[in-house]
Amino acid sequence: MPEPLTPEYLKRVQKTILSLPKGPWEIEPSEHGLPDQVGPICYLETWSDLERVPVIEFISFSREAMPALFGEVARQSDRIRALERRIRTLEAAQPQAGVRHG
């Protein structure tokens, strides 16, 4: 299982995403009609056109997906921290097991 993402790593991802040119990044064909450029990235070369198109589509999709996915990770992390605080508060308010009152 992968290690949890650290706050430092999440900040680095956010900084990288924010430094990118704005999207969406359109796929543009070459003079031969083949997909060749995605936004500011041009002349993508692979050994096979069967590889080229999925790679170009992935890059185009990633420009929009990465900010959304990163935002969801941040929201989930915030929610987990809030729930952990709530659990600690509830646990602290409950009488200790084995301790008799009254």
Side-chain angles (χ1 to χ4, degrees):
M1 179 175 284
E3 292 295 319
L5 301 178
T6 65
E8 294 78 19
Y9 180 79
L10 293 175
K11 286 178 186 174
R12 184 173 146 214
V13 171
Q14 184 178 31
K15 184 178 178 182
T16 300
I17 291 169
L18 292 173
S19 70
L20 290 169
K22 299 294 181 219
W25 291 351
E26 299 298 324
I27 299 173
E28 298 179 29
S30 68
E31 66 272 8
H32 306 291
L34 297 172
D36 192 49
Q37 180 171 335
V38 178
I41 303 167
C42 64
Y43 193 66
L44 299 171
E45 185 175 346
T46 66
W47 294 107
S48 158
D49 285 338
L50 293 176
E51 293 175 359
R52 179 189 295 231
V53 172
V55 169
I56 290 172
E57 289 174 347
F58 172 78
I59 293 169
S60 177
F61 176 76
S62 294
R63 180 60 187 101
E64 297 295 310
M66 286 299 296
L69 294 171
F70 182 79
E72 184 60 23
V73 167
R75 280 187 293 281
Q76 294 294 326
S77 295
D78 289 346
R79 183 70 177 142
I80 289 168
R81 283 192 294 276
L83 290 170
E84 288 172 339
R85 284 191 302 272
R86 179 72 176 138
I87 289 169
R88 285 192 300 274
T89 301
L90 291 172
E91 288 174 343
Q94 290 183 357
Q96 297 295 320
V99 176
R100 301 186 132 232
H101 295 280

